[in-house]
Amino acid sequence: MRSMNLVDSWVQTCSIFKQSSPSKSFIGFITIKPNFIKSKKPISTFRVSAIVTEEEARIEKPTFNFNTYVVEKANFVNKALDDAVSVKNPPMIHEAMRYSLLAGGKRVRPMLCIAACEVVGGHHSAAIPAACAVEMIHTMSLIHDDLPCMDNDDLRRGKPTNHKVFGEDVAVLAGDSLLAFAFEFIATSTTGVAPNRVLAAVGELAKAIGTEGLVAGQVVDLSCTGTNTNVGLDTLEFIHIHKTAALLEASVVLGAILGGGSDEQVEKLRMFARKMGLLFQVVDDILDVTKSSEELGKTAGKDLAVDKTTYPKLLGLEKAMEFAEKLNEEAKEQLAEFDRDKAAPLVALADYIAHRQN
């Protein structure tokens, strides 16, 4: 079974969201809690403070190349992950960790971390350890999520899941090891950043994956599958704000903190990421019912098979798609006050998430 490689996936998606399409309005079928800050300002504003000569007018700034950015950052992160988790004694556990960590994936979270660092004026090197840490934790969550006692899945990123290759016992330990090492790596490998900011980043990451974040969402998700039919939009939003959006939010917030962002900038980016994290899950739910296992690189139709509550199930496919588009626009509104060129990667990543095909 073929899994679409990283570059093909990004390039295909870029071609989709670059196409012009009419804007769809949100029809008021859901109330989002918590209340997010909304801005009516355009994504970018310009102030002309000098007379522009004809010669200057002819000089165009180079446009942001999303494909180049994606390949560059993904290669950088992949190498950093490869170097960080090497094979040593005992070899089996490290091979299990590397099997899932280096299996491909879109590297969305590390890219968000790096882009957030850069948008507040930081250098990407300040965010690399944190970017690797969030990917280690994301990989841990996938290994554990695929276990028979959780979602019981056999396919991940186009390959057999970790427990299918190494056994359930080693898979659990591989996830545990990645979780522990993520914190060690960010604490010991981050350089050129004030200690108080590193400490703040560590605290933010820990909160995002505990009982106020990922774990909370996973527990409620497990209780809302199958015979439990009393799952409304509020509960579904709680699940995905915690299970999916929390780590995406942490990725962005870590980058902003380590890049030297002000409190106001960090909170703007937090709201951007929270909306985008919910968007990621809405799109995931849509893809589960519209794509094949080969296209997704994981088992398609699994949510329907176990009677799992999803946005298409509660809203219908068309309204779920409208909701996704609305979340994308509201997320990008949070970037209005940042430098347009520096914010370009975050805008493009939001569009990628909204229009991805796997």
Side-chain angles (χ1 to χ4, degrees), residues 48 50-62:
V48 179
I51 298 174
V52 180
T53 66
E54 289 185 14
E55 182 178 356
E56 290 172 330
R58 286 196 298 269
I59 300 174
E60 295 183 1
K61 283 187 176 182

Side-chain angles (χ1 to χ4, degrees), residues 37-351:
I37 301 171
K38 297 183 180 178
S39 171
K40 297 187 179 298
K41 296 181 180 179
I43 295 301
S44 60
T45 57
F46 295 88
R47 292 180 181 177
V48 179
S49 58
I51 298 174
V52 180
T53 66
E54 289 185 14
E55 182 178 356
E56 290 172 330
R58 286 196 298 269
I59 300 174
E60 295 183 1
K61 283 187 176 182
T63 57
F64 173 68
N65 189 316
F66 186 48
N67 293 342
T68 300
Y69 182 88
V70 163
V71 173
E72 176 189 333
K73 300 302 183 188
N75 288 340
F76 199 95
V77 169
N78 286 334
K79 185 180 186 309
L81 290 169
D82 191 15
D83 292 342
V85 183
S86 58
V87 177
K88 48 192 172 186
N89 285 325
M92 180 178 285
I93 188 63
H94 293 96
E95 287 168 359
M97 292 164 68
R98 287 171 59 84
Y99 175 79
S100 294
L101 185 63
L102 305 178
K106 305 172 188 70
R107 306 306 190 206
V108 170
R109 290 157 190 81
M111 289 187 198
L112 285 169
C113 186
I114 295 168
C117 177
E118 293 175 330
V119 80
V120 297
H123 190 272
H124 75 269
S125 61
I128 293 300
C132 290
V134 295
E135 190 65 13
M136 292 175 195
I137 291 174
H138 173 56
T139 302
M140 172 278 296
S141 74
L142 299 181
I143 294 173
H144 285 179
D145 201 45
D146 291 335
L147 289 168
C149 62
M150 303 287 272
D151 278 3
N152 191 25
D153 219 327
D154 298 337
L155 190 66
R156 175 69 68 178
R157 292 173 173 168
K159 300 170 64 176
T161 47
N162 197 289
H163 68 274
K164 286 293 180 180
V165 177
F166 297 95
E168 292 179 37
D169 47 2
V170 174
V172 170
L173 294 172
D176 292 345
S177 299
L178 284 168
L179 175 61
F181 186 60
F183 286 98
E184 177 186 341
F185 193 66
I186 192 174
T188 61
S189 300
T190 304
T191 58
V193 179
N196 65 315
R197 286 188 175 269
V198 177
L199 182 61
V202 169
E204 185 76 33
L205 185 56
K207 184 177 180 179
I209 62 176
T211 56
E212 294 185 53
L214 190 154
V215 170
Q218 182 69 70
V219 167
V220 177
D221 189 26
L222 288 171
S223 70
C224 294
T225 300
T227 57
N228 187 346
T229 58
N230 298 319
V231 180
L233 289 172
D234 287 344
T235 301
L236 187 61
E237 183 191 316
F238 177 92
I239 292 170
H240 296 314
I241 284 289
H242 292 78
K243 182 180 176 181
T244 303
L247 190 54
L248 281 159
E249 180 181 323
S251 303
V252 171
V253 172
L254 262 62
I257 291 172
L258 296 170
S262 66
D263 290 347
E264 183 180 357
Q265 287 176 321
V266 169
E267 289 311 306
K268 280 284 186 184
L269 290 170
R270 184 188 298 279
M271 292 301 103
F272 161 78
R274 189 173 298 175
K275 285 177 175 289
M276 194 174 56
L278 186 56
L279 166 66
F280 191 98
Q281 187 59 52
V282 175
V283 172
D284 221 43
D285 287 355
I286 292 169
L287 293 176
D288 188 68
V289 296
T290 59
K291 298 293 180 181
S292 67
S293 296
E294 183 177 8
E295 290 172 307
L296 293 178
K298 60 182 180 179
T299 307
K302 188 106 180 11
D303 294 340
L304 184 63
V306 297
D307 197 25
K308 193 172 185 177
T309 303
T310 65
Y311 281 98
K313 180 180 177 180
L314 290 185
L315 303 176
L317 183 59
E318 184 177 349
K319 288 185 178 180
M321 295 173 88
E322 290 178 3
F323 183 37
E325 190 63 34
K326 181 66 175 179
L327 285 170
N328 185 26
E329 293 306 314
E330 289 183 347
K332 291 187 293 187
E333 285 178 3
Q334 301 302 318
L335 304 175
E337 295 179 11
F338 290 93
D339 178 86
R340 184 187 66 171
D341 293 334
K342 289 181 178 180
L346 290 174
V347 172
L349 283 163
D351 282 335

